Amino acid sequence: MGKSKSIGSSSRKLMHASSSDVQLNICGLPFSLNRELLAARSSKLDALLRENPEDDLSHLLGDIPADSETFEIVARFCHGFDINLSSENVIKVLCLAHYLGMSEIHSTNNLTKKACFYFQNDVLPSWNKSIKALRSAENILQQAADLALIDACAESIIAKVMHDPSLLGEPMRNVTTTDDDSENDENAYKPNVRRRLFVLDWKSEDLTLLPIPLYEPIIRAMVQRKVPLEYVASSLFEYLNKWVFSDTKGGEDDPLTCEKNSQRVIIEAVERLLPQERGLIPISLLSQMLQSAIILDAHTECKTGLEIRIGKQLDQATVKDLLIPAQGYAKEERYDTESVKRILKNFYSNYASTDKSGLVVVAELVDNFLAEVSSDIDLKLNTFLSLAELSQAATGGTNRNSDGMYRAIDIYLDKHRYLTDWEREEVCRVLDSSKMSPEACEHAAQNEKLPIRVMVQILFSVQLKLKDTVSKKIQGSPDNRLLKLEEDERGTSSNEEEIMKAEIEKMGSKVVKLEKECDTMRREIQRGGSQHKNQKGKTSIWKEMKRKLGCMTSLHEPNCHVKKKKVHPPK
């Protein structure tokens, strides 16, 4: 750096022939150049040299829009040497040539004309070179935009994409995944990037290498010109994966420095570009974007936009997609349940189908989500109830199973042992015992964490189901008698009809008796009799009730008629 920049032996000969040399300092690097040759090629340098006759002009050109490498190309051109233009330097050379006034007005053999010819005939026709040229302009973006060089490259790129959208990447494969499908999860939603134009070894430059100030307007223009949105979505995914989601951010020469602020700017810009159509962006990616937006403290509009998009296709989500970690020291709960509430409300407010199957799917998703987050000791009772009530209200009148809600309640009661009796009653308020499976009822029959009222309610539910079964059998008995008569005519014994009738009457009597006893128990519990207030009394009542029901004895009783299936996972 202590020596002046040399232009070569031929340059030195030219400099000896000139009247004097001039010293310039460009971006910290000194140059010793021929005064007359500079003046002949540049109108700006000609004027500066006339106004400043001294040899050392290092204090000038402080606002020059170029680096030392670009200025060396200009110096070589001024001294008559060959220059090597490329897609990486041509925009910089054009900006510097314009700044120095190296145009047709000042000299017929000028650098602007030479660089423009190369730019138009060698760079713009090529997808790769256009992208490389844009990348090189990041540090002189305003100057390049003023000269319409950015627009020229962008128009070239957009025209090629409109002709061949696969240049943006193949559309994402909409692979259905589950929480346990880890093998598929690794390859899900990855676009099949395949960009080749007739040449087998041709390697395409990726549009996602552009900095966001260049990438965003180009993608926006593509959307306006009706480039298929599935290809746009693929490019957006790749951009996020490269600059926000990936742990590897590239080397020192990459155009973006992905610090937190840069990532926040990127995710806000991409959210603005996201298509609104349902299903184009996989919900797992939207969830990942939302989590990143929360971590990066993105603008509220960005987070709201992502929540709305997730809500539109919530019936495609898994529990994992809703496990959004809460951020900040003030957050007591482990997961951002407020965000999940907003997503649920968006789903219900936008659900227009007459088919309620989507509502049932989301309700079961909420049940499983509650079961997952219930182990959080800091999960508030009001939060649990509000989420449960949202799913319950939307599926009223359907026959959806309540086992998932029972499982969530059981986990919540187990992890929150400090709850008062009233609070435990409140937790169980969202449970519809009439829609529990026999296996869940059997588990609940021995679940001492449940309030007595809930246990009795479950017993009533089992009793009603048994009564309904008996009634149906009684109503069907005339058909059975006809069948028996036909069998008698064929010589079959008629004693079986009497035996069946006696069994049905016996079952009916048992149901009536149980109904009376359960009603008596319910009145005693409501009166709050002291004989049932202690745990010993409670257990005794429960055992007596199971004994009278017959099928609710214990998990180890061989005569129990309920399938022994454990529905609650081991703690």
Side-chain angles (χ1 to χ4, degrees):
M1 299 291 288
K3 297 182 179 180
S4 297
K5 186 72 174 180
S6 173
I7 307 300
S9 58
S10 299
S11 173
R12 285 194 290 271
K13 292 179 181 178
L14 288 171
M15 291 167 62
H16 283 303
S18 63
S19 58
S20 62
D21 296 340
V22 63
Q23 306 297 321
L24 294 175
N25 190 295
I26 308 299
C27 299
L29 191 65
F31 286 82
S32 179
L33 303 171
N34 184 276
R35 179 186 292 267
E36 294 180 0
L37 294 177
L38 291 179
R41 294 287 190 267
S42 167
S43 60
K44 184 179 185 68
L45 289 175
D46 184 28
L48 288 174
L49 292 172
R50 291 176 186 274
E51 296 169 2
N52 300 275
E54 65 270 21
D55 294 339
D56 190 354
L57 301 179
S58 298
H59 60 286
L60 299 177
L61 303 179
D63 61 340
I64 191 168
D67 50 35
S68 58
E69 288 79 9
T70 306
F71 187 80
E72 183 176 356
I73 293 173
V74 172
R76 290 181 63 85
F77 177 81
C78 291
H79 285 79
F81 298 111
D82 290 336
I83 59 174
N84 293 320
L85 294 175
S86 68
S87 55
E88 288 87 351
N89 64 30
V90 66
I91 289 182
K92 295 178 181 179
V93 169
L94 278 168
C95 289
L96 182 54
H98 175 77
Y99 170 83
L100 294 175
M102 304 176 73
S103 65
E104 195 78 15
I105 297 174
H106 187 71
S107 171
T108 55
N109 181 20
N110 63 85
L111 184 57
T112 299
K113 179 179 179 180
K114 183 179 182 69
C116 276
F117 183 85
Y118 177 84
F119 181 71
Q120 184 171 358
N121 293 278
D122 200 77
V123 173
L124 294 183
S126 167
W127 168 270
N128 282 1
K129 291 182 178 180
S130 296
I131 292 178
K132 288 179 180 178
L134 277 178
R135 289 182 63 190
S136 71
E138 182 184 8
N139 295 328
I140 52 169
L141 203 53
Q142 189 57 55
Q143 294 90 339
D146 291 342
L147 296 177
L149 300 175
I150 300 299
D151 286 346
C153 287
E155 285 297 322
S156 171
I157 290 171
I158 294 169
K160 292 176 177 61
V161 168
M162 293 184 69
H163 177 71
D164 180 12
S166 66
L167 287 166
L168 293 176
E170 294 298 323
M172 288 174 278
R173 294 181 293 109
N174 192 7
V175 179
T176 302
T177 59
T178 62
D179 289 344
D180 298 327
D181 196 356
S182 58
E183 182 178 352
N184 277 345
D185 191 56
E186 291 181 3
N187 298 316
Y189 310 132
K190 291 186 178 180
N192 179 18
V193 182
R194 187 180 50 190
R195 307 178 180 114
R196 297 177 181 173
L197 296 179
F198 310 113
V199 183
L200 293 178
D201 60 351
W202 185 85
K203 185 175 185 290
S204 171
E205 282 292 314
D206 198 336
L207 192 65
T208 60
L209 293 173
L210 295 177
I212 196 66
L214 291 171
Y215 178 81
E216 181 178 6
I218 290 176
I219 293 296
R220 191 175 301 282
M222 289 181 184
V223 174
Q224 292 173 349
R225 298 192 191 184
K226 308 302 181 184
V227 171
L229 292 180
E230 58 268 26
Y231 293 95
V232 173
S234 174
S235 182
L236 292 172
F237 171 84
E238 283 298 314
Y239 201 88
L240 287 172
N241 194 51
K242 184 182 294 294
W243 299 116
V244 178
F245 299 155
S246 178
D247 293 331
T248 304
K249 300 303 181 187
E252 297 178 355
D253 296 331
D254 281 321
L256 293 177
T257 303
C258 280
E259 299 173 350
K260 184 174 181 179
N261 289 338
S262 298
Q263 290 180 318
R264 180 170 60 247
V265 170
I266 290 170
I267 205 161
E268 289 175 349
V270 171
E271 187 278 326
R272 291 192 294 267
L273 296 170
L274 284 180
Q276 293 289 344
E277 283 74 5
R278 166 186 162 96
L280 278 177
I281 304 291
I283 198 167
S284 60
L285 174 58
L286 292 173
S287 175
Q288 193 176 7
M289 284 185 67
L290 177 58
Q291 293 182 46
S292 297
I294 293 172
I295 293 171
L296 297 170
D297 195 23
H299 197 276
T300 301
E301 290 182 359
C302 172
K303 291 180 281 191
T304 300
L306 291 169
E307 288 174 350
I308 291 173
R309 288 179 174 87
I310 293 173
K312 286 182 178 179
Q313 54 193 80
L314 189 59
D315 53 331
Q316 301 173 359
T318 64
V319 172
K320 183 180 178 181
D321 298 327
L322 298 182
L323 296 178
I324 304 168
Q327 298 296 317
Y329 296 107
K331 298 289 185 181
E332 296 179 1
E333 297 177 0
R334 187 186 308 167
Y335 298 103
D336 194 340
T337 51
E338 291 301 317
S339 179
V340 174
K341 288 181 190 177
R342 292 191 293 269
I343 291 171
L344 275 171
K345 291 176 181 178
N346 284 322
F347 171 77
Y348 293 133
S349 63
N350 287 288
Y351 194 84
S353 175
T354 56
D355 184 4
K356 289 191 175 183
S357 60
L359 297 175
V360 173
V361 168
V362 170
E364 291 175 348
L365 173 67
V366 175
D367 290 350
N368 294 330
F369 172 77
L370 283 173
E372 187 70 29
V373 301
S374 288
S375 58
D376 178 11
I377 193 66
D378 295 319
L379 183 66
K380 297 181 178 62
L381 174 61
N382 288 338
T383 301
F384 182 94
L385 290 175
S386 60
L387 283 168
E389 288 168 350
L390 277 173
S391 66
Q392 293 278 8
T395 54
T398 65
N399 293 322
R400 85 175 182 94
N401 188 282
S402 294
D403 287 6
M405 182 59 68
Y406 168 69
R407 177 171 173 263
I409 290 171
D410 183 50
I411 296 174
Y412 190 81
L413 293 177
D414 182 65
K415 297 298 182 181
H416 300 76
R417 300 276 183 162
Y418 56 83
L419 296 177
T420 64
D421 290 343
W422 179 85
E423 288 173 330
R424 289 191 299 125
E425 291 273 356
E426 281 294 290
V427 172
C428 296
R429 178 168 53 83
V430 294
L431 178 64
D432 187 349
S433 58
S434 66
K435 295 180 180 178
M436 291 171 60
S437 68
E439 294 80 15
C441 289
E442 183 176 0
H443 186 279
Q446 303 176 72
N447 192 344
E448 297 183 355
K449 296 187 291 292
L450 297 176
I452 292 179
R453 183 191 64 80
V454 177
M455 291 171 138
V456 173
Q457 188 179 39
I458 293 172
L459 279 177
F460 279 131
S461 176
V462 173
Q463 172 204 2
L464 291 174
K465 289 178 182 178
L466 181 60
K467 182 177 181 180
D468 183 60
T469 300
V470 172
S471 298
K472 289 179 179 179
K473 288 184 177 181
I474 292 175
Q475 291 172 2
S477 61
D479 294 335
N480 290 333
R481 282 198 296 271
L482 289 175
L483 291 174
K484 293 298 181 182
L485 289 174
E486 291 176 0
E487 290 174 355
D488 288 342
E489 291 176 357
R490 294 192 299 268
T492 306
S493 173
S494 62
N495 290 335
E496 293 183 4
E497 179 186 356
E498 297 298 329
I499 295 173
M500 179 179 178
K501 184 176 180 181
E503 287 294 329
I504 291 174
E505 290 176 353
K506 183 178 178 181
M507 289 179 68
S509 300
K510 183 177 180 181
V511 168
V512 172
K513 183 179 179 182
L514 285 173
E515 186 175 15
K516 291 180 179 178
E517 292 182 353
C518 286
D519 189 56
T520 301
M521 279 190 63
R522 180 171 57 182
R523 289 197 299 270
E524 289 177 357
I525 291 169
Q526 290 173 347
R527 287 198 303 267
S530 58
Q531 67 271 31
H532 303 310
K533 288 184 179 181
N534 57 65
Q535 183 64 30
K536 182 177 179 181
K538 171 182 171 181
T539 305
S540 175
I541 291 173
W542 192 233
K543 288 183 177 179
E544 179 65 17
M545 201 62 190
K546 289 189 291 179
R547 183 188 67 77
K548 292 181 179 296
L549 277 172
C551 65
M552 287 291 187
T553 53
S554 81
L555 290 177
H556 304 291
E557 180 65 35
N559 295 323
C560 182
H561 302 298
V562 179
K563 184 180 178 181
K564 306 326 188 264
K565 178 181 179 182
K566 198 168 187 179
V567 296
H568 187 67
K571 302 294 187 294

